[in-house]
Amino acid sequence: MVAFIRFADSLSAAFGKTFGWLIMLMTFGTSYEVFVRYVLNKPTAWAFDVSFIMYGTLFMMGGAYTLSRGGHVRGDFLYRLWKPRTQATVDLVLYLFFFFPGVTALIVTGWKYAARSVSYGEVSVNSPAGIPIYQFKAVMVAAGILLFIQGIAEILRCIQCIRTGFWLRADEDVQETEDLLLNKATAAESDAHP
């Protein structure tokens, strides 16, 4: 059980971090477009489509990674007050009755949507560039499959917590800037007042 949880966490992290590099490409593409549009007065026909596609791809492919790190929005004002076993029980029910039906619908519908798009070689209608976008429709299916795998890991994580009373957390690989600053301030304050 723990081995599958670690595998799913690693898989989600690998995809999340890999697709996270799209931020750099989006930044470059948007900066280029701003430069040529406002400095050279020669806007491109493709910049909007490319940034739109990359953002959507980043958002979809980062979902499983975010799930593995507990980063999705939840009603923490109540949830954080519960004991871990209660949290795990509620999470287990929510995964079974809401998460998996939704993710399954994403995969099935995404498959149909992508297959139809590939069949007629869909291109973007948002700009005159006519950028092919059928290959990006498959991202919905890939993201759904990753979410499904990570969802199984989260179910196993809930079962583990119900049994032991403790959450098995994913390995820490990133920290929020606010947490780093808070830790730094706390360390500096404790050093100043020994």
Side-chain angles (χ1 to χ4, degrees), residues 20-38:
W21 285 100
L22 288 176
I23 291 290
M24 298 300 287
L25 291 174
M26 285 172 45
T27 302
F28 174 75
T30 303
S31 300
Y32 175 79
E33 173 61 18
V34 167
F35 177 76
V36 298
R37 177 179 298 254
Y38 294 109

Side-chain angles (χ1 to χ4, degrees), residues 9-76:
D9 287 347
S10 298
L11 181 68
S12 296
F15 276 95
K17 290 176 183 179
T18 300
F19 280 89
W21 285 100
L22 288 176
I23 291 290
M24 298 300 287
L25 291 174
M26 285 172 45
T27 302
F28 174 75
T30 303
S31 300
Y32 175 79
E33 173 61 18
V34 167
F35 177 76
V36 298
R37 177 179 298 254
Y38 294 109
V39 176
L40 303 179
N41 199 25
K42 294 184 179 201
T44 64
W46 52 265
F48 174 76
D49 287 324
V50 170
S51 64
F52 195 72
I53 289 166
M54 282 195 280
Y55 179 73
T57 301
L58 171 64
F59 180 80
M60 294 293 288
M61 295 303 288
Y65 177 63
T66 305
L67 180 62
S68 74
R69 300 314 191 255
H72 288 289
V73 176
R74 66 172 54 163
D76 281 346

Side-chain angles (χ1 to χ4, degrees), residues 109-168:
T109 305
W111 180 267
K112 292 175 187 175
Y113 192 49
R116 186 176 14 170
S117 181
V118 168
S119 72
Y120 64 84
E122 184 177 9
V123 297
S124 174
V125 296
N126 292 324
S127 74
I131 294 174
I133 59 171
Y134 54 87
Q135 67 275 24
F136 294 106
K137 300 291 176 97
V139 167
M140 290 184 287
V141 178
I145 291 169
L146 285 172
L147 278 169
F148 199 92
I149 292 168
Q150 188 61 48
I152 293 169
E154 296 306 311
I155 290 281
L156 296 176
R157 190 173 266 131
C158 289
I159 293 169
Q160 181 88 4
C161 182
I162 291 168
R163 287 181 181 168
T164 65
F166 299 100
W167 282 108
L168 177 63

